[in-house]
Amino acid sequence: MGSTEQMPAGLTPLETAGHLLERIRQGNAYARSRKKRFRLSSSALKVLTLSLSAASTIILGLQNLGFWAGLAFAFVALVTLLGAVESFFNWRSRWVLMEETQYRFQRLADDLEYLVASTPTAGLTYDRLQPIFDEYQSVWAHLSERWLQERRTISPSEGR
């Protein structure tokens, strides 16, 4: 997650901790916003797919292959199309990935806040902050790797 703001230099360890905490919170906000979007897309598609499937089945069962049968077959075609769209975008997997990322950012923020609160100002050093920063980088690296892995994976409906 890039930023166009000027990178501060020469910060004290306490100021560095504050800067790092802000970056962690930004990452958490990013994951939260994406998670909400992916959850909504996944849920809406699932409800629409189930509704169309149920409606087509009911219509086929009640009618003598006239207008209603045609409509039911159109619903079946839409269900097939939506199933293909869902497997391509894989919103549920992306939603869960953002849930995991949000958890990791929140945990990291908690760790940093505890470190700052429990350490006297003179004892807060860059060496004590480095593991937190390394984990922050690890969260982003993990997210990026998983994102690329998900995009490279061919779902069974796309064929191999």
Side-chain angles (χ1 to χ4, degrees):
M1 185 169 153
S3 177
T4 58
E5 64 188 56
Q6 182 71 20
M7 180 68 187
L11 298 178
T12 67
L14 184 59
E15 291 169 332
T16 301
H19 179 71
L20 181 54
L21 182 59
E22 181 56 32
R23 297 296 298 260
I24 292 168
R25 286 183 174 151
Q26 288 172 357
N28 196 11
Y30 169 82
R32 182 183 309 110
S33 70
R34 294 299 182 264
K35 179 185 75 172
K36 285 180 183 177
R37 188 173 109 208
F38 298 150
R39 181 180 56 216
L40 177 62
S41 297
S42 175
S43 299
L45 190 60
K46 186 60 75 178
V47 167
L48 182 59
T49 301
L50 289 172
S51 298
L52 289 174
S53 180
S56 63
T57 302
I58 291 168
I59 290 170
L60 283 173
L62 296 177
Q63 301 302 316
N64 290 332
L65 297 184
F67 167 78
W68 292 106
L71 182 61
F73 283 121
F75 284 165
V76 169
L78 283 173
V79 167
T80 302
L81 175 67
L82 290 174
V85 168
E86 197 283 328
S87 68
F88 178 76
F89 287 108
N90 203 4
W91 283 303
R92 181 172 176 77
S93 177
R94 292 158 72 181
W95 157 28
V96 171
L97 177 60
M98 290 304 148
E99 181 79 30
E100 175 189 352
T101 300
Q102 189 178 5
Y103 162 78
R104 291 182 70 194
F105 277 132
Q106 186 58 53
R107 175 75 188 261
L108 192 56
D110 291 346
D111 290 348
L112 179 57
E113 288 174 340
Y114 179 77
L115 176 66
V116 170
S118 66
T119 305
T121 303
L124 189 62
T125 64
Y126 296 113
D127 289 339
R128 300 223 30 212
L129 293 173
Q130 190 63 48
I132 302 284
F133 179 73
D134 291 344
E135 182 60 23
Y136 169 76
Q137 293 290 77
S138 173
V139 172
W140 280 115
H142 177 74
L143 176 61
S144 296
E145 289 167 13
R146 288 274 310 275
W147 185 266
L148 290 173
Q149 180 183 19
E150 290 288 332
R151 297 315 312 148
R152 287 185 189 121
T153 302
I154 298 173
S155 73
S157 66
E158 293 173 358
R160 294 203 182 261

PDB file of all heavy atoms in Angstrom, residues 35-51 82 86 90-93 95:
ATOM      1  N   LYS A  35     -12.545  -6.494   2.517  1.00  0.00           N
ATOM      2  CA  LYS A  35     -13.288  -7.617   3.080  1.00  0.00           C
ATOM      3  C   LYS A  35     -14.791  -7.364   2.950  1.00  0.00           C
ATOM      4  O   LYS A  35     -15.544  -8.241   2.532  1.00  0.00           O
ATOM      5  CB  LYS A  35     -12.909  -7.813   4.547  1.00  0.00           C
ATOM      6  CG  LYS A  35     -13.656  -8.945   5.228  1.00  0.00           C
ATOM      7  CD  LYS A  35     -13.332  -9.026   6.700  1.00  0.00           C
ATOM      8  CE  LYS A  35     -14.030  -7.916   7.441  1.00  0.00           C
ATOM      9  NZ  LYS A  35     -13.936  -8.007   8.894  1.00  0.00           N
ATOM     10  N   LYS A  36     -15.234  -6.155   3.290  1.00  0.00           N
ATOM     11  CA  LYS A  36     -16.660  -5.832   3.201  1.00  0.00           C
ATOM     12  C   LYS A  36     -17.150  -5.957   1.762  1.00  0.00           C
ATOM     13  O   LYS A  36     -18.219  -6.511   1.512  1.00  0.00           O
ATOM     14  CB  LYS A  36     -16.919  -4.418   3.720  1.00  0.00           C
ATOM     15  CG  LYS A  36     -16.856  -4.301   5.217  1.00  0.00           C
ATOM     16  CD  LYS A  36     -17.111  -2.873   5.665  1.00  0.00           C
ATOM     17  CE  LYS A  36     -16.974  -2.728   7.161  1.00  0.00           C
ATOM     18  NZ  LYS A  36     -17.157  -1.338   7.597  1.00  0.00           N
ATOM     19  N   ARG A  37     -16.366  -5.450   0.823  1.00  0.00           N
ATOM     20  CA  ARG A  37     -16.763  -5.507  -0.584  1.00  0.00           C
ATOM     21  C   ARG A  37     -16.839  -6.949  -1.065  1.00  0.00           C
ATOM     22  O   ARG A  37     -17.798  -7.338  -1.736  1.00  0.00           O
ATOM     23  CB  ARG A  37     -15.777  -4.707  -1.434  1.00  0.00           C
ATOM     24  CG  ARG A  37     -16.236  -4.565  -2.871  1.00  0.00           C
ATOM     25  CD  ARG A  37     -15.342  -3.623  -3.641  1.00  0.00           C
ATOM     26  NE  ARG A  37     -14.580  -4.435  -4.569  1.00  0.00           N
ATOM     27  CZ  ARG A  37     -13.393  -4.141  -5.029  1.00  0.00           C
ATOM     28  NH1 ARG A  37     -12.785  -3.054  -4.635  1.00  0.00           N
ATOM     29  NH2 ARG A  37     -12.789  -4.915  -5.878  1.00  0.00           N
ATOM     30  N   PHE A  38     -15.838  -7.754  -0.729  1.00  0.00           N
ATOM     31  CA  PHE A  38     -15.822  -9.139  -1.180  1.00  0.00           C
ATOM     32  C   PHE A  38     -16.929  -9.949  -0.514  1.00  0.00           C
ATOM     33  O   PHE A  38     -17.539 -10.819  -1.141  1.00  0.00           O
ATOM     34  CB  PHE A  38     -14.456  -9.774  -0.925  1.00  0.00           C
ATOM     35  CG  PHE A  38     -13.330  -9.118  -1.669  1.00  0.00           C
ATOM     36  CD1 PHE A  38     -12.057  -9.105  -1.135  1.00  0.00           C
ATOM     37  CD2 PHE A  38     -13.527  -8.507  -2.892  1.00  0.00           C
ATOM     38  CE1 PHE A  38     -11.001  -8.511  -1.810  1.00  0.00           C
ATOM     39  CE2 PHE A  38     -12.487  -7.905  -3.575  1.00  0.00           C
ATOM     40  CZ  PHE A  38     -11.222  -7.909  -3.031  1.00  0.00           C
ATOM     41  N   ARG A  39     -17.200  -9.689   0.770  1.00  0.00           N
ATOM     42  CA  ARG A  39     -18.265 -10.396   1.479  1.00  0.00           C
ATOM     43  C   ARG A  39     -19.617 -10.079   0.841  1.00  0.00           C
ATOM     44  O   ARG A  39     -20.431 -10.979   0.620  1.00  0.00           O
ATOM     45  CB  ARG A  39     -18.259 -10.019   2.959  1.00  0.00           C
ATOM     46  CG  ARG A  39     -19.331 -10.759   3.756  1.00  0.00           C
ATOM     47  CD  ARG A  39     -19.331 -10.378   5.220  1.00  0.00           C
ATOM     48  NE  ARG A  39     -19.479  -8.944   5.356  1.00  0.00           N
ATOM     49  CZ  ARG A  39     -18.887  -8.208   6.300  1.00  0.00           C
ATOM     50  NH1 ARG A  39     -18.127  -8.769   7.195  1.00  0.00           N
ATOM     51  NH2 ARG A  39     -19.078  -6.908   6.356  1.00  0.00           N
ATOM     52  N   LEU A  40     -19.854  -8.810   0.545  1.00  0.00           N
ATOM     53  CA  LEU A  40     -21.113  -8.417  -0.076  1.00  0.00           C
ATOM     54  C   LEU A  40     -21.268  -9.063  -1.447  1.00  0.00           C
ATOM     55  O   LEU A  40     -22.327  -9.607  -1.771  1.00  0.00           O
ATOM     56  CB  LEU A  40     -21.196  -6.891  -0.189  1.00  0.00           C
ATOM     57  CG  LEU A  40     -22.436  -6.336  -0.882  1.00  0.00           C
ATOM     58  CD1 LEU A  40     -23.685  -6.717  -0.094  1.00  0.00           C
ATOM     59  CD2 LEU A  40     -22.336  -4.830  -1.034  1.00  0.00           C
ATOM     60  N   SER A  41     -20.215  -9.029  -2.255  1.00  0.00           N
ATOM     61  CA  SER A  41     -20.277  -9.631  -3.591  1.00  0.00           C
ATOM     62  C   SER A  41     -20.521 -11.129  -3.499  1.00  0.00           C
ATOM     63  O   SER A  41     -21.343 -11.686  -4.237  1.00  0.00           O
ATOM     64  CB  SER A  41     -18.977  -9.367  -4.359  1.00  0.00           C
ATOM     65  OG  SER A  41     -18.794  -7.992  -4.572  1.00  0.00           O
ATOM     66  N   SER A  42     -19.826 -11.790  -2.603  1.00  0.00           N
ATOM     67  CA  SER A  42     -19.986 -13.228  -2.441  1.00  0.00           C
ATOM     68  C   SER A  42     -21.396 -13.574  -1.992  1.00  0.00           C
ATOM     69  O   SER A  42     -22.037 -14.471  -2.553  1.00  0.00           O
ATOM     70  CB  SER A  42     -18.965 -13.748  -1.415  1.00  0.00           C
ATOM     71  OG  SER A  42     -19.164 -15.109  -1.157  1.00  0.00           O
ATOM     72  N   SER A  43     -21.891 -12.860  -1.001  1.00  0.00           N
ATOM     73  CA  SER A  43     -23.221 -13.144  -0.465  1.00  0.00           C
ATOM     74  C   SER A  43     -24.307 -12.843  -1.488  1.00  0.00           C
ATOM     75  O   SER A  43     -25.253 -13.631  -1.646  1.00  0.00           O
ATOM     76  CB  SER A  43     -23.456 -12.326   0.805  1.00  0.00           C
ATOM     77  OG  SER A  43     -22.507 -12.672   1.782  1.00  0.00           O
ATOM     78  N   ALA A  44     -24.197 -11.723  -2.183  1.00  0.00           N
ATOM     79  CA  ALA A  44     -25.215 -11.352  -3.177  1.00  0.00           C
ATOM     80  C   ALA A  44     -25.270 -12.374  -4.305  1.00  0.00           C
ATOM     81  O   ALA A  44     -26.356 -12.779  -4.738  1.00  0.00           O
ATOM     82  CB  ALA A  44     -24.925  -9.959  -3.736  1.00  0.00           C
ATOM     83  N   LEU A  45     -24.115 -12.787  -4.764  1.00  0.00           N
ATOM     84  CA  LEU A  45     -24.085 -13.769  -5.849  1.00  0.00           C
ATOM     85  C   LEU A  45     -24.662 -15.108  -5.392  1.00  0.00           C
ATOM     86  O   LEU A  45     -25.414 -15.757  -6.130  1.00  0.00           O
ATOM     87  CB  LEU A  45     -22.656 -13.954  -6.361  1.00  0.00           C
ATOM     88  CG  LEU A  45     -22.520 -14.766  -7.634  1.00  0.00           C
ATOM     89  CD1 LEU A  45     -23.288 -14.104  -8.776  1.00  0.00           C
ATOM     90  CD2 LEU A  45     -21.060 -14.885  -8.006  1.00  0.00           C
ATOM     91  N   LYS A  46     -24.360 -15.507  -4.179  1.00  0.00           N
ATOM     92  CA  LYS A  46     -24.880 -16.779  -3.663  1.00  0.00           C
ATOM     93  C   LYS A  46     -26.401 -16.722  -3.546  1.00  0.00           C
ATOM     94  O   LYS A  46     -27.102 -17.659  -3.946  1.00  0.00           O
ATOM     95  CB  LYS A  46     -24.254 -17.088  -2.302  1.00  0.00           C
ATOM     96  CG  LYS A  46     -24.606 -18.443  -1.751  1.00  0.00           C
ATOM     97  CD  LYS A  46     -24.179 -19.596  -2.626  1.00  0.00           C
ATOM     98  CE  LYS A  46     -22.705 -19.845  -2.541  1.00  0.00           C
ATOM     99  NZ  LYS A  46     -22.243 -20.981  -3.326  1.00  0.00           N
ATOM    100  N   VAL A  47     -26.945 -15.635  -3.012  1.00  0.00           N
ATOM    101  CA  VAL A  47     -28.391 -15.490  -2.867  1.00  0.00           C
ATOM    102  C   VAL A  47     -29.069 -15.458  -4.240  1.00  0.00           C
ATOM    103  O   VAL A  47     -30.094 -16.118  -4.458  1.00  0.00           O
ATOM    104  CB  VAL A  47     -28.739 -14.222  -2.050  1.00  0.00           C
ATOM    105  CG1 VAL A  47     -30.210 -13.870  -2.163  1.00  0.00           C
ATOM    106  CG2 VAL A  47     -28.339 -14.409  -0.598  1.00  0.00           C
ATOM    107  N   LEU A  48     -28.498 -14.730  -5.177  1.00  0.00           N
ATOM    108  CA  LEU A  48     -29.065 -14.651  -6.520  1.00  0.00           C
ATOM    109  C   LEU A  48     -29.038 -16.016  -7.199  1.00  0.00           C
ATOM    110  O   LEU A  48     -30.028 -16.436  -7.801  1.00  0.00           O
ATOM    111  CB  LEU A  48     -28.303 -13.618  -7.360  1.00  0.00           C
ATOM    112  CG  LEU A  48     -28.801 -13.390  -8.771  1.00  0.00           C
ATOM    113  CD1 LEU A  48     -30.259 -12.930  -8.766  1.00  0.00           C
ATOM    114  CD2 LEU A  48     -27.925 -12.352  -9.467  1.00  0.00           C
ATOM    115  N   THR A  49     -27.932 -16.718  -7.075  1.00  0.00           N
ATOM    116  CA  THR A  49     -27.818 -18.042  -7.678  1.00  0.00           C
ATOM    117  C   THR A  49     -28.846 -19.012  -7.096  1.00  0.00           C
ATOM    118  O   THR A  49     -29.538 -19.723  -7.835  1.00  0.00           O
ATOM    119  CB  THR A  49     -26.391 -18.610  -7.472  1.00  0.00           C
ATOM    120  OG1 THR A  49     -25.461 -17.721  -8.069  1.00  0.00           O
ATOM    121  CG2 THR A  49     -26.237 -19.979  -8.089  1.00  0.00           C
ATOM    122  N   LEU A  50     -28.951 -19.014  -5.774  1.00  0.00           N
ATOM    123  CA  LEU A  50     -29.923 -19.910  -5.140  1.00  0.00           C
ATOM    124  C   LEU A  50     -31.355 -19.537  -5.505  1.00  0.00           C
ATOM    125  O   LEU A  50     -32.190 -20.418  -5.752  1.00  0.00           O
ATOM    126  CB  LEU A  50     -29.748 -19.880  -3.625  1.00  0.00           C
ATOM    127  CG  LEU A  50     -28.480 -20.544  -3.091  1.00  0.00           C
ATOM    128  CD1 LEU A  50     -28.334 -20.283  -1.594  1.00  0.00           C
ATOM    129  CD2 LEU A  50     -28.501 -22.036  -3.368  1.00  0.00           C
ATOM    130  N   SER A  51     -31.659 -18.255  -5.577  1.00  0.00           N
ATOM    131  CA  SER A  51     -33.017 -17.805  -5.926  1.00  0.00           C
ATOM    132  C   SER A  51     -33.383 -18.217  -7.346  1.00  0.00           C
ATOM    133  O   SER A  51     -34.492 -18.721  -7.592  1.00  0.00           O
ATOM    134  CB  SER A  51     -33.124 -16.287  -5.792  1.00  0.00           C
ATOM    135  OG  SER A  51     -32.899 -15.891  -4.474  1.00  0.00           O
ATOM    136  N   LEU A  82     -23.660 -17.396 -13.543  1.00  0.00           N
ATOM    137  CA  LEU A  82     -23.246 -16.839 -12.257  1.00  0.00           C
ATOM    138  C   LEU A  82     -22.263 -17.760 -11.543  1.00  0.00           C
ATOM    139  O   LEU A  82     -21.327 -17.294 -10.884  1.00  0.00           O
ATOM    140  CB  LEU A  82     -24.467 -16.580 -11.368  1.00  0.00           C
ATOM    141  CG  LEU A  82     -25.372 -15.433 -11.822  1.00  0.00           C
ATOM    142  CD1 LEU A  82     -26.623 -15.367 -10.956  1.00  0.00           C
ATOM    143  CD2 LEU A  82     -24.637 -14.108 -11.807  1.00  0.00           C
ATOM    144  N   GLU A  86     -18.676 -16.498 -10.372  1.00  0.00           N
ATOM    145  CA  GLU A  86     -18.234 -16.614  -8.979  1.00  0.00           C
ATOM    146  C   GLU A  86     -16.904 -17.360  -8.888  1.00  0.00           C
ATOM    147  O   GLU A  86     -16.003 -16.962  -8.160  1.00  0.00           O
ATOM    148  CB  GLU A  86     -19.302 -17.320  -8.147  1.00  0.00           C
ATOM    149  CG  GLU A  86     -19.145 -17.129  -6.646  1.00  0.00           C
ATOM    150  CD  GLU A  86     -18.056 -17.966  -6.016  1.00  0.00           C
ATOM    151  OE1 GLU A  86     -17.807 -19.084  -6.495  1.00  0.00           O
ATOM    152  OE2 GLU A  86     -17.442 -17.497  -5.038  1.00  0.00           O
ATOM    153  N   ASN A  90     -13.974 -15.449  -7.385  1.00  0.00           N
ATOM    154  CA  ASN A  90     -13.677 -16.100  -6.106  1.00  0.00           C
ATOM    155  C   ASN A  90     -13.786 -15.131  -4.931  1.00  0.00           C
ATOM    156  O   ASN A  90     -12.891 -15.019  -4.107  1.00  0.00           O
ATOM    157  CB  ASN A  90     -12.293 -16.755  -6.160  1.00  0.00           C
ATOM    158  CG  ASN A  90     -12.145 -17.854  -5.154  1.00  0.00           C
ATOM    159  OD1 ASN A  90     -13.089 -18.197  -4.441  1.00  0.00           O
ATOM    160  ND2 ASN A  90     -10.960 -18.394  -5.065  1.00  0.00           N
ATOM    161  N   TRP A  91     -14.888 -14.429  -4.853  1.00  0.00           N
ATOM    162  CA  TRP A  91     -15.063 -13.407  -3.820  1.00  0.00           C
ATOM    163  C   TRP A  91     -14.980 -13.967  -2.411  1.00  0.00           C
ATOM    164  O   TRP A  91     -14.463 -13.326  -1.511  1.00  0.00           O
ATOM    165  CB  TRP A  91     -16.393 -12.670  -4.011  1.00  0.00           C
ATOM    166  CG  TRP A  91     -16.350 -11.666  -5.115  1.00  0.00           C
ATOM    167  CD1 TRP A  91     -15.484 -10.626  -5.233  1.00  0.00           C
ATOM    168  CD2 TRP A  91     -17.194 -11.614  -6.253  1.00  0.00           C
ATOM    169  NE1 TRP A  91     -15.747  -9.926  -6.373  1.00  0.00           N
ATOM    170  CE2 TRP A  91     -16.803 -10.510  -7.032  1.00  0.00           C
ATOM    171  CE3 TRP A  91     -18.256 -12.389  -6.700  1.00  0.00           C
ATOM    172  CZ2 TRP A  91     -17.421 -10.160  -8.213  1.00  0.00           C
ATOM    173  CZ3 TRP A  91     -18.873 -12.043  -7.881  1.00  0.00           C
ATOM    174  CH2 TRP A  91     -18.451 -10.941  -8.620  1.00  0.00           C
ATOM    175  N   ARG A  92     -15.495 -15.156  -2.198  1.00  0.00           N
ATOM    176  CA  ARG A  92     -15.457 -15.724  -0.847  1.00  0.00           C
ATOM    177  C   ARG A  92     -14.017 -15.923  -0.377  1.00  0.00           C
ATOM    178  O   ARG A  92     -13.671 -15.572   0.747  1.00  0.00           O
ATOM    179  CB  ARG A  92     -16.219 -17.043  -0.791  1.00  0.00           C
ATOM    180  CG  ARG A  92     -16.217 -17.655   0.590  1.00  0.00           C
ATOM    181  CD  ARG A  92     -17.133 -18.867   0.672  1.00  0.00           C
ATOM    182  NE  ARG A  92     -17.049 -19.507   1.958  1.00  0.00           N
ATOM    183  CZ  ARG A  92     -17.615 -19.079   3.063  1.00  0.00           C
ATOM    184  NH1 ARG A  92     -18.326 -17.969   3.042  1.00  0.00           N
ATOM    185  NH2 ARG A  92     -17.483 -19.721   4.200  1.00  0.00           N
ATOM    186  N   SER A  93     -13.188 -16.465  -1.221  1.00  0.00           N
ATOM    187  CA  SER A  93     -11.779 -16.671  -0.869  1.00  0.00           C
ATOM    188  C   SER A  93     -11.092 -15.335  -0.594  1.00  0.00           C
ATOM    189  O   SER A  93     -10.301 -15.207   0.344  1.00  0.00           O
ATOM    190  CB  SER A  93     -11.067 -17.415  -1.998  1.00  0.00           C
ATOM    191  OG  SER A  93      -9.713 -17.562  -1.695  1.00  0.00           O
ATOM    192  N   TRP A  95     -12.557 -12.593   0.408  1.00  0.00           N
ATOM    193  CA  TRP A  95     -13.138 -12.079   1.653  1.00  0.00           C
ATOM    194  C   TRP A  95     -12.417 -12.706   2.838  1.00  0.00           C
ATOM    195  O   TRP A  95     -12.018 -12.009   3.779  1.00  0.00           O
ATOM    196  CB  TRP A  95     -14.628 -12.362   1.621  1.00  0.00           C
ATOM    197  CG  TRP A  95     -15.373 -12.439   2.915  1.00  0.00           C
ATOM    198  CD1 TRP A  95     -15.080 -11.803   4.094  1.00  0.00           C
ATOM    199  CD2 TRP A  95     -16.556 -13.182   3.167  1.00  0.00           C
ATOM    200  NE1 TRP A  95     -16.007 -12.108   5.052  1.00  0.00           N
ATOM    201  CE2 TRP A  95     -16.924 -12.948   4.506  1.00  0.00           C
ATOM    202  CE3 TRP A  95     -17.350 -14.007   2.400  1.00  0.00           C
ATOM    203  CZ2 TRP A  95     -18.050 -13.523   5.077  1.00  0.00           C
ATOM    204  CZ3 TRP A  95     -18.472 -14.569   2.967  1.00  0.00           C
ATOM    205  CH2 TRP A  95     -18.808 -14.332   4.286  1.00  0.00           C
TER     206      TRP A  95
END
